């Protein structure tokens, strides 16, 4: 099939899972177009992201004149669809506290997106994130009739579900998927029960570079690593409080923070306030190769999140045979168990410090045993080729394909599985 992927920013360092999913679908024989609203706002460092940038069409890279001409063309060629889209845009705007101007912009973007889909003979449009890209895709569907689907990650979609008309989007989509069973339950909260059969679980996956990673021993360094965007949801300030407690107790360790984001200045100030300059290294946004290298050098991955979907970096770390320390929220307990890592209450710096101490003081043999179990669990649950097969089956069924999909089945929970 000819499939299009659409999201807000693409490619981006935090969207590696989208790139893997696209690649896995292409390996299954499909043609996948990449569309996005805008490019990533900072510098791309990863070679694969730079290659993806060259193959992605961005709405904001078109001049105003070309956008307006595209809109006029769509309205002339698809007048009824354009009217339906505008009506739906006003419905979305009403739910979003009457922000008509913004939703008119979304309608304009949808006209351009519909044009691209028609020109490229796209048979199905898939969207990552139920925020504004899903709004644009829903409007484009009204214009050109091409079926679309959504992957909802959380937590942003669930924080603002009513303002985003999340239930309406799931209802008008061919299907909607969540990246965890917890995420699917949140979708059920906002979706008409008559549409629950459209809701499925398709987990994000790791690719061959993680599956084929050779075994390596536990690092002799007393080192922990956190790979996460420096944003309010990731709990970095609590992580620093836990690190300060260990430092006061005389524990010898190093904590590496990889990532960038809006809280960088505040995090830097907190490192200085807590006198952690010799303990904490802030290395910024790095390539995927550097991420893998940092994980291998660490005894464990630590992520102190307040709100999540299911962090890809946890499955990556586990696939590399590293146990993880994280919080007991959202979809994380579906992946992390007592024999693969440590789970603590979100926001509890004392409990987090104790888990970090355990990882730092545990024997190498025990950490290796935990790491091996972590790898087995991550690869069993998060194989991107399996995830692509699930999406493929849902897309084919949603498109009304005549193919006999003998491997498709729906279990009682609504999660799609293929043998």
């Amino acid at each position: 099939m000819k499939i299009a992927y659409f999201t807000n920013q693409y490619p981006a360092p935090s969207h590696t899972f989208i790139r893997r999913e696209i690649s896995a679908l292409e390996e299954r024989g499909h043609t996948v177009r990449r569309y996005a609203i805008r490019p990533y706002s900072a510098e791309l460092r990863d070679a694969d992201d730079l290659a993806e940038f060259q193959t992605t069409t961005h709405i904001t890279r078109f001049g105003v004149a070309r956008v307006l001409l595209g809109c006029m063309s769509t309205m002339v060629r698809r007048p009824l669809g354009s009217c339906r889209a505008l009506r739906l845009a006003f419905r979305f705007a009403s739910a979003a506290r009457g922000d008509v101007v913004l939703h008119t912009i979304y309608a304009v973007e949808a006209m351009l997106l519909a044009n691209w889909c028609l020109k490229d003979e796209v048979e199905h449009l898939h969207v990552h994130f139920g925020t504004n890209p899903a709004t644009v895709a829903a409007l484009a569907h009204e214009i050109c009739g091409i079926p679309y689907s959504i992957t909802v990650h959380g937590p942003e979609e669930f924080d603002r579900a009513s303002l985003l008309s999340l239930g309406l989007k799931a209802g008008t989509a061919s299907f909607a998927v969540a990246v965890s069973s917890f995420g699917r339950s949140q979708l059920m909260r906002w979706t008409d029960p008559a549409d629950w059969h459209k809701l499925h679980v398709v987990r994000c996956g790791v690719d061959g570079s993680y599956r084929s990673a050779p075994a390596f021993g536990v690092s002799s360094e007393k080192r922990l690593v956190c790979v996460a965007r420096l944003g309010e949801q990731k709990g970095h300030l609590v992580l620093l409080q836990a690190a300060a407690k260990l430092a006061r107790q005389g524990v010898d360790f190093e904590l590496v923070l990889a990532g960038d984001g809006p809280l960088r200045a505040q995090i830097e100030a907190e490192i200085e306030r807590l006198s952690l300059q010799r303990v904490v290294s802030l290395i910024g946004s790095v390539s995927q190769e550097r991420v893998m290298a940092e994980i291998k050098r660490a005894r464990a991955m630590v992520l102190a999140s307040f709100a999540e979907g299911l962090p890809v970096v946890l499955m990556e770390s586990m696939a590399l045979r590293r146990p993880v320390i994280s919080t007991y929220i959202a979809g994380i307990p579906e992946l992390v168990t007592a024999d693969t890592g440590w789970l603590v209450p979100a926001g509890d710096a004392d409990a987090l410090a104790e888990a970090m101490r355990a990882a730092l003081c545990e024997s190498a043999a025990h950490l290796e045993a935990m790491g091996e179990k972590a790898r087995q669990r991550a690869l069993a649950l998060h194989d991107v080729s399996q995830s692509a097969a699930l999406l493929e089956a849902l897309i084919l069924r949603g498109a009304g394909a005549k193919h006999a999909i003998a491997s498709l089945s729906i279990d009682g929970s609504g999660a799609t599985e293929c043998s």
Side-chain angles (χ1 to χ4, degrees), residues 1 5 34 39 52 56 70 76 83 135 180 222 247-248 254 321 332 349 405 414-415:
M1 291 183 68
Y5 262 57
R34 286 89 156 151
E52 284 291 282
T56 303
V76 169
C83 288
T135 302
S180 67
K222 298 292 187 178
R248 289 194 300 269
E254 180 183 2
R321 299 179 174 86
I332 294 175
I405 311 172

PDB file of all heavy atoms in Angstrom, residues 1 5 34 39 52 56 70 76 83 135 180 222 247-248 254 321 332 349 405 414-415:
ATOM      1  N   MET A   1       0.830  -1.199   0.000  1.00  0.00           N
ATOM      2  CA  MET A   1       0.000   0.000   0.000  1.00  0.00           C
ATOM      3  C   MET A   1       0.862   1.245   0.000  1.00  0.00           C
ATOM      4  O   MET A   1       2.036   1.207   0.344  1.00  0.00           O
ATOM      5  CB  MET A   1      -0.913   0.025   1.238  1.00  0.00           C
ATOM      6  CG  MET A   1      -2.004  -1.008   1.251  1.00  0.00           C
ATOM      7  SD  MET A   1      -3.065  -0.824   2.720  1.00  0.00           S
ATOM      8  CE  MET A   1      -3.863   0.755   2.365  1.00  0.00           C
ATOM      9  N   TYR A   5       2.756   9.027   6.688  1.00  0.00           N
ATOM     10  CA  TYR A   5       2.896   9.314   8.111  1.00  0.00           C
ATOM     11  C   TYR A   5       2.924  10.824   8.281  1.00  0.00           C
ATOM     12  O   TYR A   5       3.590  11.533   7.526  1.00  0.00           O
ATOM     13  CB  TYR A   5       4.193   8.710   8.658  1.00  0.00           C
ATOM     14  CG  TYR A   5       3.992   7.378   9.339  1.00  0.00           C
ATOM     15  CD1 TYR A   5       3.415   6.316   8.649  1.00  0.00           C
ATOM     16  CD2 TYR A   5       4.360   7.176  10.653  1.00  0.00           C
ATOM     17  CE1 TYR A   5       3.223   5.091   9.265  1.00  0.00           C
ATOM     18  CE2 TYR A   5       4.176   5.948  11.288  1.00  0.00           C
ATOM     19  CZ  TYR A   5       3.603   4.916  10.579  1.00  0.00           C
ATOM     20  OH  TYR A   5       3.414   3.700  11.197  1.00  0.00           O
ATOM     21  N   ARG A  34       6.514  10.711   4.062  1.00  0.00           N
ATOM     22  CA  ARG A  34       6.688  11.416   5.335  1.00  0.00           C
ATOM     23  C   ARG A  34       6.200  12.848   5.173  1.00  0.00           C
ATOM     24  O   ARG A  34       6.731  13.598   4.358  1.00  0.00           O
ATOM     25  CB  ARG A  34       8.158  11.469   5.756  1.00  0.00           C
ATOM     26  CG  ARG A  34       8.746  10.165   6.271  1.00  0.00           C
ATOM     27  CD  ARG A  34       9.302   9.354   5.170  1.00  0.00           C
ATOM     28  NE  ARG A  34      10.340   8.424   5.635  1.00  0.00           N
ATOM     29  CZ  ARG A  34      10.596   7.268   5.040  1.00  0.00           C
ATOM     30  NH1 ARG A  34       9.918   6.909   3.957  1.00  0.00           N
ATOM     31  NH2 ARG A  34      11.551   6.495   5.499  1.00  0.00           N
ATOM     32  N   PRO A  39       9.697  21.414  10.544  1.00  0.00           N
ATOM     33  CA  PRO A  39      10.930  20.699  10.885  1.00  0.00           C
ATOM     34  C   PRO A  39      11.254  20.860  12.366  1.00  0.00           C
ATOM     35  O   PRO A  39      10.716  21.724  13.052  1.00  0.00           O
ATOM     36  CB  PRO A  39      12.002  21.380  10.011  1.00  0.00           C
ATOM     37  CG  PRO A  39      11.269  22.272   9.066  1.00  0.00           C
ATOM     38  CD  PRO A  39       9.953  22.599   9.704  1.00  0.00           C
ATOM     39  N   GLU A  52      16.348  11.334   7.004  1.00  0.00           N
ATOM     40  CA  GLU A  52      14.889  11.437   7.011  1.00  0.00           C
ATOM     41  C   GLU A  52      14.420  12.848   6.665  1.00  0.00           C
ATOM     42  O   GLU A  52      13.389  13.033   6.009  1.00  0.00           O
ATOM     43  CB  GLU A  52      14.339  11.042   8.388  1.00  0.00           C
ATOM     44  CG  GLU A  52      14.336   9.562   8.666  1.00  0.00           C
ATOM     45  CD  GLU A  52      13.341   8.810   7.813  1.00  0.00           C
ATOM     46  OE1 GLU A  52      12.136   8.839   8.118  1.00  0.00           O
ATOM     47  OE2 GLU A  52      13.769   8.189   6.829  1.00  0.00           O
ATOM     48  N   THR A  56      11.271  14.227   3.930  1.00  0.00           N
ATOM     49  CA  THR A  56      10.050  14.679   4.599  1.00  0.00           C
ATOM     50  C   THR A  56       9.564  15.998   4.000  1.00  0.00           C
ATOM     51  O   THR A  56      10.351  16.917   3.791  1.00  0.00           O
ATOM     52  CB  THR A  56      10.292  14.862   6.109  1.00  0.00           C
ATOM     53  OG1 THR A  56      10.768  13.622   6.662  1.00  0.00           O
ATOM     54  CG2 THR A  56       9.005  15.261   6.824  1.00  0.00           C
ATOM     55  N   GLY A  70      -2.639  26.381  -2.922  1.00  0.00           N
ATOM     56  CA  GLY A  70      -3.032  25.001  -2.663  1.00  0.00           C
ATOM     57  C   GLY A  70      -4.415  24.914  -2.045  1.00  0.00           C
ATOM     58  O   GLY A  70      -5.215  24.041  -2.407  1.00  0.00           O
ATOM     59  N   VAL A  76     -11.728  24.381  -4.818  1.00  0.00           N
ATOM     60  CA  VAL A  76     -12.359  24.288  -6.139  1.00  0.00           C
ATOM     61  C   VAL A  76     -12.605  22.827  -6.508  1.00  0.00           C
ATOM     62  O   VAL A  76     -13.679  22.467  -7.003  1.00  0.00           O
ATOM     63  CB  VAL A  76     -11.480  24.980  -7.205  1.00  0.00           C
ATOM     64  CG1 VAL A  76     -11.981  24.658  -8.605  1.00  0.00           C
ATOM     65  CG2 VAL A  76     -11.473  26.484  -6.983  1.00  0.00           C
ATOM     66  N   CYS A  83     -16.062  22.094   2.777  1.00  0.00           N
ATOM     67  CA  CYS A  83     -17.106  22.599   3.676  1.00  0.00           C
ATOM     68  C   CYS A  83     -17.258  21.700   4.904  1.00  0.00           C
ATOM     69  O   CYS A  83     -17.423  22.186   6.025  1.00  0.00           O
ATOM     70  CB  CYS A  83     -18.438  22.694   2.926  1.00  0.00           C
ATOM     71  SG  CYS A  83     -18.491  24.031   1.711  1.00  0.00           S
ATOM     72  N   THR A 135      -5.710  16.646  14.596  1.00  0.00           N
ATOM     73  CA  THR A 135      -6.752  17.582  14.148  1.00  0.00           C
ATOM     74  C   THR A 135      -6.646  17.817  12.657  1.00  0.00           C
ATOM     75  O   THR A 135      -7.644  17.739  11.921  1.00  0.00           O
ATOM     76  CB  THR A 135      -6.612  18.922  14.902  1.00  0.00           C
ATOM     77  OG1 THR A 135      -6.694  18.695  16.308  1.00  0.00           O
ATOM     78  CG2 THR A 135      -7.712  19.886  14.474  1.00  0.00           C
ATOM     79  N   SER A 180       0.394   1.501  25.180  1.00  0.00           N
ATOM     80  CA  SER A 180       0.337   0.641  26.361  1.00  0.00           C
ATOM     81  C   SER A 180      -1.123   0.349  26.669  1.00  0.00           C
ATOM     82  O   SER A 180      -2.030   1.034  26.176  1.00  0.00           O
ATOM     83  CB  SER A 180       0.994   1.319  27.563  1.00  0.00           C
ATOM     84  OG  SER A 180       0.234   2.451  27.967  1.00  0.00           O
ATOM     85  N   LYS A 222      30.873   3.667  38.697  1.00  0.00           N
ATOM     86  CA  LYS A 222      29.662   3.893  39.488  1.00  0.00           C
ATOM     87  C   LYS A 222      28.863   4.998  38.796  1.00  0.00           C
ATOM     88  O   LYS A 222      28.849   6.163  39.220  1.00  0.00           O
ATOM     89  CB  LYS A 222      30.025   4.304  40.918  1.00  0.00           C
ATOM     90  CG  LYS A 222      30.806   3.247  41.683  1.00  0.00           C
ATOM     91  CD  LYS A 222      29.945   2.015  41.971  1.00  0.00           C
ATOM     92  CE  LYS A 222      30.670   1.045  42.880  1.00  0.00           C
ATOM     93  NZ  LYS A 222      29.858  -0.140  43.214  1.00  0.00           N
ATOM     94  N   ALA A 247      24.949  12.049  47.532  1.00  0.00           N
ATOM     95  CA  ALA A 247      26.234  12.753  47.671  1.00  0.00           C
ATOM     96  C   ALA A 247      26.493  13.116  49.133  1.00  0.00           C
ATOM     97  O   ALA A 247      27.625  12.983  49.629  1.00  0.00           O
ATOM     98  CB  ALA A 247      26.245  13.994  46.792  1.00  0.00           C
ATOM     99  N   ARG A 248      25.452  13.562  49.846  1.00  0.00           N
ATOM    100  CA  ARG A 248      25.615  13.910  51.262  1.00  0.00           C
ATOM    101  C   ARG A 248      25.965  12.697  52.101  1.00  0.00           C
ATOM    102  O   ARG A 248      26.640  12.809  53.133  1.00  0.00           O
ATOM    103  CB  ARG A 248      24.335  14.565  51.791  1.00  0.00           C
ATOM    104  CG  ARG A 248      24.077  15.976  51.269  1.00  0.00           C
ATOM    105  CD  ARG A 248      23.001  16.681  52.081  1.00  0.00           C
ATOM    106  NE  ARG A 248      21.745  15.964  52.046  1.00  0.00           N
ATOM    107  CZ  ARG A 248      20.774  16.166  51.158  1.00  0.00           C
ATOM    108  NH1 ARG A 248      20.953  17.069  50.182  1.00  0.00           N
ATOM    109  NH2 ARG A 248      19.653  15.483  51.215  1.00  0.00           N
ATOM    110  N   GLU A 254      28.470   8.836  39.574  1.00  0.00           N
ATOM    111  CA  GLU A 254      28.333   9.885  38.560  1.00  0.00           C
ATOM    112  C   GLU A 254      26.966   9.735  37.912  1.00  0.00           C
ATOM    113  O   GLU A 254      26.515   8.615  37.646  1.00  0.00           O
ATOM    114  CB  GLU A 254      29.426   9.753  37.498  1.00  0.00           C
ATOM    115  CG  GLU A 254      29.344  10.817  36.403  1.00  0.00           C
ATOM    116  CD  GLU A 254      30.377  10.642  35.312  1.00  0.00           C
ATOM    117  OE1 GLU A 254      31.151   9.659  35.370  1.00  0.00           O
ATOM    118  OE2 GLU A 254      30.398  11.476  34.381  1.00  0.00           O
ATOM    119  N   ARG A 321      20.588  -4.758  27.912  1.00  0.00           N
ATOM    120  CA  ARG A 321      20.940  -5.509  29.130  1.00  0.00           C
ATOM    121  C   ARG A 321      21.260  -4.600  30.310  1.00  0.00           C
ATOM    122  O   ARG A 321      22.110  -4.922  31.137  1.00  0.00           O
ATOM    123  CB  ARG A 321      22.104  -6.461  28.874  1.00  0.00           C
ATOM    124  CG  ARG A 321      21.821  -7.529  27.821  1.00  0.00           C
ATOM    125  CD  ARG A 321      23.042  -8.411  27.606  1.00  0.00           C
ATOM    126  NE  ARG A 321      22.744  -9.531  26.711  1.00  0.00           N
ATOM    127  CZ  ARG A 321      22.812  -9.459  25.380  1.00  0.00           C
ATOM    128  NH1 ARG A 321      23.141  -8.310  24.789  1.00  0.00           N
ATOM    129  NH2 ARG A 321      22.537 -10.506  24.637  1.00  0.00           N
ATOM    130  N   ILE A 332       4.542   2.283  32.434  1.00  0.00           N
ATOM    131  CA  ILE A 332       5.864   1.794  32.829  1.00  0.00           C
ATOM    132  C   ILE A 332       5.808   0.445  33.544  1.00  0.00           C
ATOM    133  O   ILE A 332       6.609  -0.450  33.245  1.00  0.00           O
ATOM    134  CB  ILE A 332       6.601   2.856  33.673  1.00  0.00           C
ATOM    135  CG1 ILE A 332       6.907   4.092  32.802  1.00  0.00           C
ATOM    136  CG2 ILE A 332       7.882   2.302  34.266  1.00  0.00           C
ATOM    137  CD1 ILE A 332       7.523   5.253  33.557  1.00  0.00           C
ATOM    138  N   ALA A 349      11.726  11.628  46.292  1.00  0.00           N
ATOM    139  CA  ALA A 349      13.176  11.694  46.150  1.00  0.00           C
ATOM    140  C   ALA A 349      13.878  10.679  47.048  1.00  0.00           C
ATOM    141  O   ALA A 349      14.917  10.124  46.670  1.00  0.00           O
ATOM    142  CB  ALA A 349      13.672  13.105  46.453  1.00  0.00           C
ATOM    143  N   ILE A 405      -6.391 -11.843   5.833  1.00  0.00           N
ATOM    144  CA  ILE A 405      -5.379 -11.654   6.871  1.00  0.00           C
ATOM    145  C   ILE A 405      -5.591 -12.760   7.905  1.00  0.00           C
ATOM    146  O   ILE A 405      -6.223 -12.562   8.936  1.00  0.00           O
ATOM    147  CB  ILE A 405      -5.495 -10.261   7.499  1.00  0.00           C
ATOM    148  CG1 ILE A 405      -5.561  -9.196   6.401  1.00  0.00           C
ATOM    149  CG2 ILE A 405      -4.307  -9.981   8.417  1.00  0.00           C
ATOM    150  CD1 ILE A 405      -5.874  -7.828   6.947  1.00  0.00           C
ATOM    151  N   GLY A 414      -9.245  -6.236  23.430  1.00  0.00           N
ATOM    152  CA  GLY A 414      -9.239  -5.275  22.316  1.00  0.00           C
ATOM    153  C   GLY A 414      -7.880  -5.058  21.740  1.00  0.00           C
ATOM    154  O   GLY A 414      -7.730  -4.329  20.773  1.00  0.00           O
ATOM    155  N   ALA A 415      -6.830  -5.685  22.300  1.00  0.00           N
ATOM    156  CA  ALA A 415      -5.484  -5.518  21.758  1.00  0.00           C
ATOM    157  C   ALA A 415      -5.315  -6.451  20.574  1.00  0.00           C
ATOM    158  O   ALA A 415      -5.673  -7.622  20.616  1.00  0.00           O
ATOM    159  CB  ALA A 415      -4.442  -5.859  22.833  1.00  0.00           C
TER     160      ALA A 415
END
